[in-house]
C-alpha cells in the first residue's frame, strides 16, 4: 500500500526546480506540498542538496530560542549570510498563538529578501512531530541559503529528535532552568555541540552556568562543549555564538569534511527511521479508525478471539 499521489508530482517537481533556482515563492509552495504529502515529495526533494550550515536550536520552553534566533539572523546577515529559519511549534495547529509570537520576535527580518522564515506546527494527537519537518530541512538546504536554523522546543523525545537533522546542535538554557534531571532524562544535554546560557542579564546567571558545567561533564564525559553566555534581548554575546558556530563548522569540514560526512550519514539513517515511524503510526491509526477494528474488538470482548491473534490479523488484513 503506497500513500503516494502521483497527480501531485508535477507540482512538486516544478516547486522544487524553482526552489533550487532561488525562487522564494516556489520554496514556500514546496514546503506546503511537503507538509501535505511528504511521501510524494520525498524522491524529488531528496535529489537536491546545498551547502547550508544546518543548525538546530533547541532547549526548554521560554529559554529565549526565538529571540536568540532573531538576534543570530542579524549577526549572520551582517556577515553577508542568507538565512532560512524553520520554527517547529509544539502548539496545536489551531491555536497559532505562539507562531504569531515567533513572527513578532523575528519581525525585523520579515522584509529582508535574504531571510526566509517558516513556522510549522507539530501535529498529531499524541504530540507527534510534523511528518514534514525532516524533508522541509532538506528543501531549505537546497534553496541556496548559507544557514538553515531549526528552532524546536526540547520538551520531548520527538522534538529533540528534530535536532538530530542538524550539523550543529545548540542547546539553549536560561538561569532557573532548574530541574536538570529533567533535561538529562529528555536527552537534551547529550546532544549539544554548543550550550547557550541565555538571559545572562539575570542575577543567578553564574550559578546556572556552574550547575550546567557540573551536569554535562558528568553526562558527556568531556568538558569541551563550549558554553556561551548571551542576552538575546540586547544581542549581547550573540557574536560569540556566531563564532562558536563557525568553529564547529570548521571542525566538521576538517580533513576533507570527514566529520560532516559521518554526521550526514547518521542524518540519512535518521530520515529513514523517521519515515518508518511516521508511516507505521499512520497505518496503525488507520486500522484503529476502521470498522473492522470495532468488529474485532467485539469478538475479543465476548471471548470469541484473543488480543494478539486479533492484532496480527488486523495487520495482515
Ligand atoms: N531577561 C531576558 N529575557 C529574555 C532574553 N531572551 C529572551 N527573553 C524573554 O523571554 C521570553 C521568551 O522568549 P522566547 O524567545 O519566546 O523563548 P522561546 O525559547 O523561543 O520560547 P518557546 O518557543 O515558547 O519555547 C520573552 O519574553 C523574551 O523577551 C534575555 O536574554 N534576557
Ligand atoms: Mg520560540
Amino acid at each position: 500500500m503506497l500513500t503516494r499521489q502521483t497527480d501531485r508530482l508535477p507540482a512538486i517537481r516544478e516547486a522544487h526546480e524553482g526552489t533550487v533556482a532561488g525562487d522564494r515563492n516556489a520554496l514556500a509552495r514546496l514546503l506546503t506540498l511537503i507538509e501535505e504529502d511528504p511521501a510524494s515529495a520525498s524522491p524529488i526533494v531528496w535529489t537536491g542538496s546545498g551547502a547550508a550550515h544546518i543548525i538546530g536550536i533547541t532547549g526548554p520552553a521560554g529559554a529565549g530560542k526565538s529571540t536568540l534566533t532573531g538576534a543570530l539572523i542579524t549577526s549572520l546577515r551582517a556577515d553577508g549570510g542568507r538565512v532560512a529559519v524553520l520554527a517547529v511549534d509544539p502548539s496545536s495547529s489551531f491555536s497559532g498563538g505562539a507562531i504569531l509570537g515567533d513572527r513578532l520576535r523575528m519581525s525585523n527580518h520579515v522584509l529582508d529578501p535574504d531571510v526566509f522564515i517558516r513556522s510549522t506546527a507539530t501535529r498529531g494527537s499524541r504530540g507527534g512531530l510534523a511528518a514534514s519537518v525532516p524533508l522541509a530541512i532538506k528543501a531549505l538546504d537546497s534553496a541556496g541559503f548559507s544557514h538553515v536554523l531549526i528552532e524546536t522546543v526540547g520538551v520531548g523525545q520527538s522534538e529533540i529528535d528534530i535536532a538530530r537533522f542538524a550539523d550543529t546542535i545548540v542547546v539553549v538554557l536560561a538561569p532557573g532552568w532548574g530541574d536538570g534531571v529533567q533535561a538529562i532524562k529528555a536527552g537534551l544535554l547529550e546532544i549539544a555541540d554548543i550550550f547557550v546560557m541565555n538571559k545572562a542579564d539575570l542575577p543567578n546567571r553564574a550559578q546556572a552556568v556552574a550547575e550546567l558545567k557540573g551536569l554535562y561533564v558528568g553526562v558527556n564525559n568531556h568538558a569541551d562543549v563550549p558554553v556561551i553566555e548571551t542576552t538575546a534581548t540586547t544581542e549581547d554575546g550573540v557574536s560569540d555564538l556566531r563564532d562558536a558556530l563557525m568553529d564547529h563548522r570548521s571542525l566538521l569540514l576538517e580533513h576533507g569534511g570527514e566529520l560532516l560526512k559521518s554526521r550526514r550519514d547518521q542524518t540519512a539513517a535518521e530520515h529513514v527511521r523517521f519515515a518508518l515511524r511516521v508511516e507505521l503510526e499512520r497505518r496503525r491509526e488507520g486500522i484503529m479508525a476502521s470498522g473492522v477494528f470495532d468488529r474485532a474488538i467485539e469478538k475479543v470482548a465476548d471471548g470469541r478471539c484473543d488480543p494478539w491473534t486479533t492484532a496480527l490479523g488486523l495487520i495482515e488484513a
Side-chain angles (χ1 to χ4, degrees):
M1 181 179 71
L2 266 179
T3 57
R4 287 194 177 131
Q5 301 181 20
T6 44
D7 56 333
R8 289 177 189 265
L9 293 182
I12 296 169
R13 204 167 281 125
E14 193 191 324
H16 186 251
E17 277 166 16
T19 295
V20 172
D23 175 350
R24 293 169 52 117
N25 293 327
L27 172 59
R29 232 169 28 243
L30 180 62
L31 293 174
T32 302
L33 288 162
I34 291 172
E35 281 174 3
E36 286 168 0
D37 188 358
S40 297
S42 179
I44 296 164
V45 172
W46 194 255
T47 60
S49 83
H53 183 187
I54 301 170
I55 299 164
I57 297 174
T58 189
K65 298 177 295 297
S66 297
T67 313
L68 187 66
T69 300
L72 188 58
I73 297 172
T74 307
S75 177
L76 295 170
R77 286 291 296 124
D79 290 344
R82 299 184 60 240
V83 188
V85 179
L86 184 66
V88 183
D89 196 285
S91 65
S92 129
S93 48
F94 299 107
S95 99
I99 291 178
L100 209 66
D102 279 349
R103 284 260 163 80
L104 286 176
R105 274 185 262 293
M106 298 180 202
S107 59
N108 302 343
H109 305 287
V110 166
L111 294 178
D112 184 338
D114 289 318
V115 176
F116 181 94
I117 299 173
R118 174 87 169 200
S119 293
T120 185
T122 45
R123 274 170 242 162
S125 44
R126 274 164 295 279
L129 64 96
S132 59
V133 168
L135 276 185
I137 295 169
K138 185 79 176 168
L140 290 168
D141 184 24
S142 314
F145 295 102
S146 59
H147 298 82
V148 173
L149 313 180
I150 309 143
E151 180 194 336
T152 148
V153 187
V155 285
Q157 195 54 54
S158 59
E159 283 75 21
I160 290 173
D161 281 346
I162 298 179
R164 296 185 199 281
F165 292 97
D167 302 326
T168 303
I169 301 174
V170 179
V171 172
V172 182
L173 303 166
W177 63 294
D179 193 356
V181 178
Q182 209 48 43
I184 292 176
K185 259 207 257 169
L188 203 54
L189 299 189
E190 287 98 326
I191 60 170
D193 297 301
I194 297 169
F195 283 111
V196 168
M197 186 59 71
N198 187 44
K199 307 196 185 182
D201 54 320
L202 296 185
N204 44 349
R205 177 202 109 233
Q207 185 198 332
V209 169
E211 189 192 1
L212 167 64
K213 285 186 174 166
L215 273 175
Y216 86 75
V217 169
V219 169
N220 292 343
N221 273 325
H222 58 84
D224 55 1
V225 182
V227 180
I228 314 285
E229 296 183 32
T230 62
T231 304
T233 40
T234 60
E235 302 183 6
D236 271 346
V238 174
S239 59
D240 297 335
L241 172 58
R242 181 205 55 201
D243 293 347
L245 286 167
M246 282 167 64
D247 288 347
H248 190 253
R249 174 82 169 163
S250 303
L251 187 73
L252 291 172
L253 293 175
E254 267 174 21
H255 311 298
E258 226 168 56
L259 262 177
L260 183 63
K261 175 156 188 336
S262 90
R263 280 241 171 174
R264 295 262 166 124
D265 287 351
Q266 286 169 28
T267 304
E270 201 62 45
H271 272 276
V272 179
R273 269 198 289 274
F274 184 91
L276 258 178
R277 178 148 43 90
V278 170
E279 182 61 16
L280 289 175
E281 178 62 15
R282 200 189 64 78
R283 291 186 186 192
R284 194 176 73 96
E285 283 177 358
I287 290 172
M288 293 190 343
S290 71
V292 184
F293 180 77
D294 292 338
R295 284 192 294 282
I297 295 294
E298 281 169 27
K299 282 195 199 165
V300 178
D302 61 23
R304 277 180 290 149
C305 198
D306 70 279
W308 280 81
T309 305
T310 303
L312 295 173
L314 284 168
I315 292 171
E316 294 299 319

